[in-house]
Amino acid sequence: MAHPIAPEFAKLPLGVPEADRAGPVFRPQGKATRYERMSKDSVIRLLSEIGKKAGVVVDKQRGKYASAHDLRRSFGERWASRIMPQQLMELMRHETIETTMRYYVGRNAQSTAAVLWDAHSRATGNTFGNTAQKSSVSTGD
C-alpha cells in the first residue's frame, strides 16, 4: 500500500547524486552496525535521548523532553492548517477521521485567530458580504 509523504521529505533524496541513492535514507548512529537497520523501538529511544540531551522540554510539570511522538504531533499540527482533514488523516495514517479531528483540527484557536486577522487585513472592502453599492435613490425619509 502506498502512503503519501510531505513534499519536503520527497525532495530530500534529490540532493543526493543519483548513483548514491541506495540503502536507507537515514542511518542514525546507534548500536546497529553500518549494514544493520535500527529497530523502530531503538529509533524511538534514540530520539528521546536526543531530546533530553538537547534540553528540549515539552512539559515542565512532568519533566518530559521531546520525543518521536512530539515530532509527529508538531508535523501534524503544521500540516493541519494547510490541507483538508481527509488528506491529513491519510498523511498521518490515522484509521479514522475522528482521530484526526480530535487531535489536529481546530485545536489551536490562537493560530486560527492570527490567520483570520491576517486575511481580514489583506481583504479589500468589507468582509460582511454586503458588497452591493448603496443606492443614490432617495427613499423620501
Side-chain angles (χ1 to χ4, degrees), residues 2-14 25-26 71-72 74-80 82-83 87-93:
H3 295 289
I5 59 173
E8 59 269 25
F9 184 71
K11 290 179 180 180
L12 188 65
L14 299 178
V25 174
F26 300 105
L71 295 174
R72 175 180 168 76
S74 65
F75 173 82
E77 288 174 357
R78 281 193 311 278
W79 278 96
R82 300 176 185 175
I83 59 178
Q87 286 79 38
L88 183 62
M89 181 189 102
E90 292 176 26
L91 185 61
M92 297 300 293
R93 299 182 186 143

Short mmCIF file of all heavy atoms in Angstrom, two decimals, residues 2-14 25-26 71-72 74-80 82-83 87-93:
data_model
loop_
_atom_site.label_atom_id
_atom_site.label_comp_id
_atom_site.label_asym_id
_atom_site.label_seq_id
_atom_site.Cartn_x
_atom_site.Cartn_y
_atom_site.Cartn_z
N ALA A 2 0.58 2.18 -0.87
CA ALA A 2 1.35 3.42 -0.96
C ALA A 2 0.84 4.41 0.09
O ALA A 2 -0.34 4.44 0.40
CB ALA A 2 1.20 4.01 -2.34
N HIS A 3 1.77 5.20 0.61
CA HIS A 3 1.42 6.22 1.59
C HIS A 3 1.93 7.56 1.09
O HIS A 3 3.05 7.65 0.58
CB HIS A 3 2.07 5.93 2.95
CG HIS A 3 1.57 4.69 3.60
ND1 HIS A 3 0.31 4.58 4.13
CD2 HIS A 3 2.16 3.50 3.80
CE1 HIS A 3 0.15 3.38 4.64
NE2 HIS A 3 1.26 2.69 4.44
N PRO A 4 1.12 8.63 1.25
CA PRO A 4 1.60 9.94 0.85
C PRO A 4 2.69 10.42 1.81
O PRO A 4 2.70 10.05 2.98
CB PRO A 4 0.36 10.82 0.95
CG PRO A 4 -0.50 10.14 1.96
CD PRO A 4 -0.22 8.67 1.81
N ILE A 5 3.60 11.22 1.30
CA ILE A 5 4.63 11.83 2.14
C ILE A 5 4.68 13.32 1.86
O ILE A 5 4.25 13.78 0.81
CB ILE A 5 6.02 11.19 1.94
CG1 ILE A 5 6.48 11.31 0.49
CG2 ILE A 5 6.04 9.74 2.38
CD1 ILE A 5 7.92 10.84 0.26
N ALA A 6 5.20 14.06 2.81
CA ALA A 6 5.30 15.51 2.66
C ALA A 6 6.28 15.85 1.54
O ALA A 6 7.30 15.17 1.39
CB ALA A 6 5.77 16.13 3.98
N PRO A 7 5.99 16.89 0.76
CA PRO A 7 6.87 17.27 -0.34
C PRO A 7 8.32 17.52 0.07
O PRO A 7 9.24 17.13 -0.64
CB PRO A 7 6.23 18.54 -0.90
CG PRO A 7 4.79 18.42 -0.53
CD PRO A 7 4.78 17.71 0.80
N GLU A 8 8.52 18.16 1.23
CA GLU A 8 9.90 18.44 1.64
C GLU A 8 10.67 17.15 1.91
O GLU A 8 11.87 17.08 1.68
CB GLU A 8 9.96 19.38 2.86
CG GLU A 8 9.26 18.89 4.10
CD GLU A 8 7.80 19.31 4.22
OE1 GLU A 8 7.15 19.57 3.20
OE2 GLU A 8 7.32 19.37 5.36
N PHE A 9 9.99 16.11 2.35
CA PHE A 9 10.64 14.82 2.56
C PHE A 9 10.89 14.14 1.22
O PHE A 9 11.94 13.53 1.01
CB PHE A 9 9.80 13.93 3.46
CG PHE A 9 10.45 12.61 3.78
CD1 PHE A 9 11.54 12.55 4.62
CD2 PHE A 9 9.97 11.44 3.23
CE1 PHE A 9 12.15 11.34 4.92
CE2 PHE A 9 10.58 10.23 3.51
CZ PHE A 9 11.67 10.18 4.36
N ALA A 10 9.95 14.27 0.30
CA ALA A 10 10.12 13.67 -1.03
C ALA A 10 11.29 14.30 -1.78
O ALA A 10 11.99 13.63 -2.54
CB ALA A 10 8.84 13.83 -1.85
N LYS A 11 11.54 15.59 -1.53
CA LYS A 11 12.64 16.30 -2.20
C LYS A 11 14.00 16.00 -1.58
O LYS A 11 15.03 16.22 -2.22
CB LYS A 11 12.39 17.80 -2.17
CG LYS A 11 11.24 18.25 -3.04
CD LYS A 11 11.03 19.75 -2.92
CE LYS A 11 9.88 20.21 -3.79
NZ LYS A 11 9.68 21.66 -3.67
N LEU A 12 14.02 15.52 -0.35
CA LEU A 12 15.28 15.29 0.36
C LEU A 12 16.28 14.44 -0.42
O LEU A 12 17.44 14.83 -0.55
CB LEU A 12 14.97 14.66 1.73
CG LEU A 12 16.14 14.52 2.69
CD1 LEU A 12 16.67 15.88 3.11
CD2 LEU A 12 15.69 13.72 3.91
N PRO A 13 15.89 13.31 -0.99
CA PRO A 13 16.87 12.49 -1.72
C PRO A 13 17.39 13.14 -3.00
O PRO A 13 18.43 12.73 -3.51
CB PRO A 13 16.10 11.21 -2.07
CG PRO A 13 14.90 11.21 -1.22
CD PRO A 13 14.62 12.64 -0.88
N LEU A 14 16.69 14.15 -3.52
CA LEU A 14 17.13 14.78 -4.76
C LEU A 14 18.46 15.52 -4.60
O LEU A 14 19.14 15.79 -5.58
CB LEU A 14 16.05 15.73 -5.28
CG LEU A 14 14.70 15.07 -5.60
CD1 LEU A 14 13.71 16.12 -6.07
CD2 LEU A 14 14.87 13.97 -6.64
N VAL A 25 17.49 5.97 3.89
CA VAL A 25 17.59 7.42 3.77
C VAL A 25 18.34 7.97 4.97
O VAL A 25 19.17 8.87 4.85
CB VAL A 25 16.19 8.06 3.66
CG1 VAL A 25 16.27 9.58 3.67
CG2 VAL A 25 15.48 7.58 2.40
N PHE A 26 18.05 7.45 6.15
CA PHE A 26 18.70 7.88 7.38
C PHE A 26 19.42 6.69 8.01
O PHE A 26 18.91 5.58 8.02
CB PHE A 26 17.67 8.42 8.39
CG PHE A 26 16.91 9.58 7.86
CD1 PHE A 26 15.59 9.43 7.44
CD2 PHE A 26 17.48 10.84 7.77
CE1 PHE A 26 14.88 10.50 6.95
CE2 PHE A 26 16.78 11.91 7.28
CZ PHE A 26 15.47 11.75 6.88
N LEU A 71 7.64 15.01 17.71
CA LEU A 71 7.97 15.36 16.33
C LEU A 71 6.78 15.06 15.42
O LEU A 71 6.42 15.86 14.54
CB LEU A 71 9.20 14.59 15.85
CG LEU A 71 10.50 14.91 16.56
CD1 LEU A 71 11.61 13.96 16.10
CD2 LEU A 71 10.91 16.36 16.33
N ARG A 72 6.14 13.92 15.62
CA ARG A 72 4.97 13.54 14.84
C ARG A 72 3.83 14.54 15.05
O ARG A 72 3.19 15.00 14.12
CB ARG A 72 4.53 12.12 15.21
CG ARG A 72 3.26 11.66 14.54
CD ARG A 72 2.90 10.24 14.96
NE ARG A 72 1.56 9.87 14.56
CZ ARG A 72 1.19 9.55 13.33
NH1 ARG A 72 2.08 9.56 12.35
NH2 ARG A 72 -0.06 9.23 13.06
N SER A 74 3.96 17.69 16.11
CA SER A 74 4.24 19.01 15.54
C SER A 74 4.11 18.99 14.02
O SER A 74 3.63 19.95 13.41
CB SER A 74 5.60 19.53 15.98
OG SER A 74 6.64 18.73 15.48
N PHE A 75 4.50 17.88 13.40
CA PHE A 75 4.32 17.72 11.96
C PHE A 75 2.82 17.80 11.61
O PHE A 75 2.41 18.54 10.71
CB PHE A 75 4.90 16.38 11.50
CG PHE A 75 4.62 16.04 10.07
CD1 PHE A 75 5.39 16.56 9.06
CD2 PHE A 75 3.56 15.19 9.74
CE1 PHE A 75 5.13 16.25 7.72
CE2 PHE A 75 3.29 14.88 8.43
CZ PHE A 75 4.08 15.40 7.42
N GLY A 76 2.00 17.06 12.34
CA GLY A 76 0.55 17.05 12.09
C GLY A 76 -0.07 18.42 12.30
O GLY A 76 -0.93 18.85 11.53
N GLU A 77 0.37 19.13 13.33
CA GLU A 77 -0.17 20.46 13.59
C GLU A 77 0.20 21.45 12.49
O GLU A 77 -0.62 22.28 12.11
CB GLU A 77 0.32 20.97 14.95
CG GLU A 77 -0.35 20.25 16.11
CD GLU A 77 0.21 20.63 17.46
OE1 GLU A 77 1.17 21.43 17.53
OE2 GLU A 77 -0.31 20.10 18.46
N ARG A 78 1.43 21.36 11.96
CA ARG A 78 1.80 22.25 10.86
C ARG A 78 0.97 21.98 9.62
O ARG A 78 0.53 22.90 8.94
CB ARG A 78 3.29 22.09 10.53
CG ARG A 78 4.21 22.80 11.46
CD ARG A 78 5.63 22.88 10.94
NE ARG A 78 6.19 21.64 10.48
CZ ARG A 78 6.72 20.70 11.25
NH1 ARG A 78 6.77 20.87 12.54
NH2 ARG A 78 7.22 19.60 10.74
N TRP A 79 0.75 20.72 9.29
CA TRP A 79 0.00 20.39 8.09
C TRP A 79 -1.50 20.55 8.26
O TRP A 79 -2.23 20.71 7.27
CB TRP A 79 0.36 18.97 7.61
CG TRP A 79 1.63 19.01 6.84
CD1 TRP A 79 2.88 18.75 7.30
CD2 TRP A 79 1.77 19.39 5.47
NE1 TRP A 79 3.81 18.95 6.30
CE2 TRP A 79 3.15 19.34 5.16
CE3 TRP A 79 0.88 19.77 4.48
CZ2 TRP A 79 3.65 19.65 3.90
CZ3 TRP A 79 1.38 20.08 3.23
CH2 TRP A 79 2.75 20.01 2.95
N ALA A 80 -2.00 20.58 9.48
CA ALA A 80 -3.44 20.72 9.72
C ALA A 80 -3.99 22.01 9.14
O ALA A 80 -5.15 22.07 8.72
CB ALA A 80 -3.75 20.64 11.22
N ARG A 82 -2.84 23.45 6.46
CA ARG A 82 -2.53 23.53 5.03
C ARG A 82 -3.40 22.67 4.14
O ARG A 82 -3.54 22.95 2.95
CB ARG A 82 -1.07 23.12 4.80
CG ARG A 82 -0.07 23.96 5.51
CD ARG A 82 1.31 23.42 5.30
NE ARG A 82 2.29 24.17 6.08
CZ ARG A 82 3.55 23.84 6.16
NH1 ARG A 82 4.02 22.79 5.53
NH2 ARG A 82 4.37 24.55 6.89
N ILE A 83 -3.94 21.59 4.70
CA ILE A 83 -4.70 20.64 3.89
C ILE A 83 -6.01 20.29 4.58
O ILE A 83 -6.19 20.56 5.77
CB ILE A 83 -3.88 19.35 3.59
CG1 ILE A 83 -3.46 18.66 4.88
CG2 ILE A 83 -2.68 19.69 2.72
CD1 ILE A 83 -2.70 17.35 4.65
N GLN A 87 -7.28 14.59 3.89
CA GLN A 87 -5.90 14.40 3.44
C GLN A 87 -4.94 14.30 4.63
O GLN A 87 -3.99 13.52 4.60
CB GLN A 87 -5.47 15.54 2.51
CG GLN A 87 -6.08 15.46 1.13
CD GLN A 87 -7.51 15.97 1.10
OE1 GLN A 87 -7.85 16.93 1.76
NE2 GLN A 87 -8.35 15.31 0.31
N LEU A 88 -5.22 15.08 5.68
CA LEU A 88 -4.38 15.00 6.88
C LEU A 88 -4.50 13.62 7.52
O LEU A 88 -3.50 13.05 7.96
CB LEU A 88 -4.77 16.09 7.89
CG LEU A 88 -3.93 16.15 9.16
CD1 LEU A 88 -2.46 16.45 8.82
CD2 LEU A 88 -4.48 17.19 10.12
N MET A 89 -5.70 13.07 7.53
CA MET A 89 -5.91 11.72 8.06
C MET A 89 -5.02 10.72 7.33
O MET A 89 -4.36 9.89 7.95
CB MET A 89 -7.38 11.31 7.93
CG MET A 89 -7.68 9.93 8.47
SD MET A 89 -9.34 9.37 8.06
CE MET A 89 -8.97 8.27 6.71
N GLU A 90 -4.97 10.82 6.01
CA GLU A 90 -4.15 9.91 5.21
C GLU A 90 -2.66 10.16 5.46
O GLU A 90 -1.89 9.21 5.60
CB GLU A 90 -4.48 10.06 3.73
CG GLU A 90 -5.88 9.58 3.39
CD GLU A 90 -6.25 9.83 1.93
OE1 GLU A 90 -5.33 9.90 1.08
OE2 GLU A 90 -7.44 9.96 1.66
N LEU A 91 -2.27 11.42 5.52
CA LEU A 91 -0.88 11.76 5.74
C LEU A 91 -0.40 11.26 7.11
O LEU A 91 0.71 10.75 7.24
CB LEU A 91 -0.69 13.28 5.64
CG LEU A 91 0.73 13.81 5.72
CD1 LEU A 91 1.60 13.25 4.59
CD2 LEU A 91 0.71 15.33 5.66
N MET A 92 -1.26 11.38 8.12
CA MET A 92 -0.90 10.94 9.47
C MET A 92 -1.13 9.45 9.67
O MET A 92 -0.79 8.90 10.71
CB MET A 92 -1.71 11.74 10.52
CG MET A 92 -1.43 13.24 10.51
SD MET A 92 0.29 13.66 10.85
CE MET A 92 0.44 13.14 12.54
N ARG A 93 -1.74 8.81 8.68
CA ARG A 93 -2.05 7.38 8.72
C ARG A 93 -2.96 6.99 9.87
O ARG A 93 -2.80 5.95 10.50
CB ARG A 93 -0.76 6.56 8.72
CG ARG A 93 0.06 6.81 7.48
CD ARG A 93 1.31 6.00 7.42
NE ARG A 93 2.08 6.43 6.25
CZ ARG A 93 3.38 6.51 6.21
NH1 ARG A 93 4.09 6.15 7.24
NH2 ARG A 93 3.98 6.91 5.13
#
